[in-house]
Amino acid sequence: MSQKQPKPTLTGQRIRTRKRDEKEKYEPLLFRDAIITGVNECERDLEQLSRYLDTAGGSLNYRRYAEVLFDILFAGGMLAPGGTIVEDTEPGKAFKTELCVFGTTLDMEAMKAFIQVFPLLMRRYKYLQMSYEEELQKILKFLKGFSEQERAKLAMAVGLLLAQGLAPASVLNSLLNEHLVKEGLSLQFVTDLFQAFLALKDINNLSTVLRKGGFSGKLMDVFPVSKRTPEHFVQHYKDAGLAPLVDLWKSHQAAGNKKLVESEVSEMFQRDLEVAEMLPLCQDLQKKHNLADVDMLTLAWKAMMGAVEWNKKEDILAEQSMRHLKKYASLLATFSTQPRSELVFLVKVQEFCYDHVNFMKLFHKMVLLFYKADVVSEEIILKWYKDGHSSKGKSAFLSQMQPMVEWLQNAEEESSEED
């Protein structure tokens, strides 16, 4: 009788998991309790707070619990979704601290002093920078969960952080949340923020910060839809004492309008329309976008010269350009109505010729053509020659224009003698 074979078994050494390879349990409440205990022991002393945060990072896991850390520094406690503070803790333990942005007095000097905690902390722990920006984006979405006083303090803090280069304006995109905009919370927040910013820096700094953060073109978007009009925009910010912001917005609007008009005029040139067809269309665009004659003149010039693929051979280029300019000179003359417009235009022509080296030797021919077509007057040509020219290619262009200027001066003297 055959014996039953034993079942095979796995043998070998059991590998024990190293302690460093064990997954650390996620315990944000323990981290919160440790931070709040340490912060409260600082007794509202900001220097002591910075020292504590500097040393605590050696024993507490800032990298893993960065969100909780910044929740505490901004709101005083760990935030639940929506912006309420998580209260669950052991009896007798604090879940909140007043040494935070929300606990700071609504005062510029007090807030400026507190926000220095952030750069000091991130200078020591550079890996916190990304979490800090993410925290700002998150906390701005929670505005509805904060009190009116807390929102005002947060707006002041963010305004000062932006003014000191301690935060990017891109975080403001959180304010474009539909519900925050609809309830007017976004508008009030940016209004308070701009007031704080402009108390520290000027409107040019604000313009630069908003542009770099991709927010300069979104100023109207924080208004509720029913109030998203130029009239409401101007009135709101003027009432808030922010007239420079209104001027900034108007300049951005004008620049946008010019780009739009330039694009449409360029298309007309590319379609090779006749002046009789183009003129009423250009005048309608001018009226619609409220542009001055000088704007239309320079836009038409830029579009006109950009619509052609210019030949690189000097003799062919001269013939090609003169034919093109002669065709559209009467369009330019329509918008060349003031001495200032003429001078600005003449400088634009000079700069074009300087930037496009093949046109350098054609400048005097262009000016003569424009003179004969009543685009520029004798007085403006003489003014340009004397002191109205650009520094670009100055000596070359003045040398070119000398014979024509002498001819104009002689003609003027002969005219005076006859009188």
Side-chain angles (χ1 to χ4, degrees):
M1 190 171 83
S2 62
Q3 289 187 341
K4 192 174 181 180
Q5 295 293 324
K7 292 181 179 180
T9 58
L10 294 173
T11 60
Q13 185 178 1
R14 183 178 178 184
I15 300 174
R16 298 181 63 185
T17 305
R18 293 180 181 179
K19 187 173 182 180
R20 69 183 184 187
D21 294 332
E22 292 178 1
K23 190 173 182 181
E24 183 184 350
K25 188 177 179 181
Y26 184 64
E27 296 180 310
L29 293 178
L30 291 180
F31 178 85
R32 176 203 65 181
D33 293 345
I35 289 291
I36 286 179
T37 299
V39 170
N40 283 337
E41 287 175 356
C42 295
E43 299 180 346
R44 305 194 74 83
D45 185 327
L46 294 180
E47 288 187 10
Q48 191 175 339
L49 172 63
S50 289
R51 285 196 298 271
Y52 165 71
L53 293 173
D54 193 317
T55 56
S59 56
L60 298 175
N61 194 341
Y62 281 180
R63 190 183 295 275
R64 190 169 195 198
Y65 299 107
E67 182 179 0
V68 180
L69 174 63
F70 286 120
D71 278 354
I72 294 168
L73 292 177
F74 277 104
M78 191 170 82
L79 294 175
T84 57
I85 290 183
V86 177
E87 297 185 11
D88 55 322
T89 186
E90 295 178 15
K93 280 193 174 182
F95 60 86
K96 189 177 179 182
T97 178
E98 290 301 314
L99 191 51
C100 61
V101 168
F102 286 178
T104 303
T105 309
L106 189 59
D107 171 78
M108 288 287 290
E109 295 305 317
M111 193 63 73
K112 274 196 290 186
F114 182 83
I115 64 170
Q116 297 312 310
V117 167
F118 295 106
L120 291 173
L121 176 61
M122 287 180 287
R123 194 175 301 153
R124 175 69 175 82
Y125 301 99
K126 293 181 173 59
Y127 58 80
L128 288 175
Q129 181 67 40
M130 183 177 292
S131 299
Y132 161 72
E133 292 180 15
E134 289 173 350
E135 174 72 15
L136 283 171
Q137 293 174 33
K138 182 194 80 172
I139 203 168
L140 295 189
K141 292 178 182 176
F142 292 169
L143 289 184
K144 191 175 179 180
F146 305 145
S147 69
E148 183 178 347
Q149 185 83 344
E150 288 170 342
R151 289 195 294 268
K153 291 178 180 180
L154 182 60
M156 179 181 285
V158 176
L160 294 174
L161 288 168
L162 291 178
Q164 296 182 52
L166 301 177
S170 56
V171 301
L172 301 182
N173 285 308
S174 295
L175 298 173
L176 302 180
N177 175 279
E178 181 181 354
H179 299 292
L180 296 179
V181 171
K182 185 178 180 180
E183 296 184 30
L185 297 178
S186 296
L187 178 57
Q188 186 58 53
F189 187 88
V190 296
T191 302
D192 294 340
L193 182 153
F194 291 148
Q195 288 173 335
F197 188 107
L198 292 173
L200 205 61
K201 296 289 181 69
D202 63 24
I203 194 65
N204 293 324
N205 288 109
L206 178 59
S207 176
T208 301
V209 169
L210 293 178
R211 178 177 51 78
K212 288 182 177 178
F215 202 77
S216 58
K218 301 175 183 178
L219 296 179
M220 183 69 81
D221 296 344
V222 298
F223 280 75
V225 176
S226 61
K227 296 182 178 180
R228 207 168 286 176
T229 65
E231 293 76 18
H232 276 106
F233 185 98
V234 171
Q235 191 61 50
H236 173 81
Y237 284 117
K238 281 190 173 180
D239 290 346
L242 293 170
L245 185 65
V246 174
D247 295 336
L248 174 65
W249 176 77
K250 285 181 176 179
S251 69
H252 286 170
Q253 289 295 105
N257 289 342
K258 288 177 184 178
K259 286 184 178 179
L260 181 62
V261 171
E262 183 183 335
S263 175
E264 295 196 34
V265 174
S266 294
E267 187 181 346
M268 295 180 203
F269 281 112
Q270 289 164 3
R271 288 162 53 197
D272 202 25
L273 297 183
E274 297 295 328
V275 171
E277 297 176 86
M278 290 183 64
L279 185 54
L281 295 174
C282 289
Q283 289 172 327
D284 287 345
L285 285 171
Q286 180 184 18
K287 185 176 180 180
K288 178 181 177 181
H289 295 286
N290 195 30
L291 297 180
D293 282 348
V294 64
D295 295 325
M296 287 301 298
L297 180 60
T298 54
L299 288 175
W301 163 254
K302 186 176 179 181
M304 182 172 74
M305 299 307 286
V308 178
E309 187 174 341
W310 299 106
N311 198 292
K312 294 183 179 180
K313 292 185 178 180
E314 190 173 314
D315 54 340
I316 299 177
L317 176 63
E319 182 183 348
Q320 181 189 20
S321 60
M322 292 303 111
R323 184 170 62 248
H324 184 65
L325 296 180
K326 190 173 183 180
K327 178 179 178 179
Y328 293 108
S330 60
L331 176 69
L332 298 176
T334 303
F335 299 108
S336 182
T337 56
Q338 300 291 332
R340 175 177 170 270
S341 303
E342 295 178 35
L343 186 58
V344 169
F345 172 71
L346 204 49
V347 171
K348 291 290 183 184
V349 176
Q350 176 192 348
E351 291 175 344
F352 175 87
C353 292
Y354 178 81
D355 294 335
H356 301 79
V357 66
N358 290 343
F359 285 87
M360 284 281 287
K361 295 180 181 179
L362 299 179
F363 177 70
H364 66 293
K365 292 183 178 181
M366 290 182 174
V367 176
L368 181 59
L369 186 151
F370 291 139
Y371 171 68
K372 291 180 177 178
D374 292 328
V375 181
V376 293
S377 64
E378 174 185 335
E379 292 78 9
I380 294 303
I381 293 173
L382 296 176
K383 167 70 175 172
W384 172 89
Y385 186 82
K386 182 181 178 182
D387 55 16
H389 47 262
S390 167
S391 60
K392 293 184 176 181
K394 172 183 171 181
S395 57
F397 292 127
L398 291 181
S399 178
Q400 273 189 51
M401 287 297 295
Q402 187 175 355
M404 183 178 177
V405 168
E406 290 175 354
W407 173 71
L408 290 173
Q409 289 173 335
N410 291 335
E412 187 177 12
E413 290 173 3
E414 289 174 7
S415 177
S416 299
E417 288 175 4
E418 289 177 5
D419 292 342

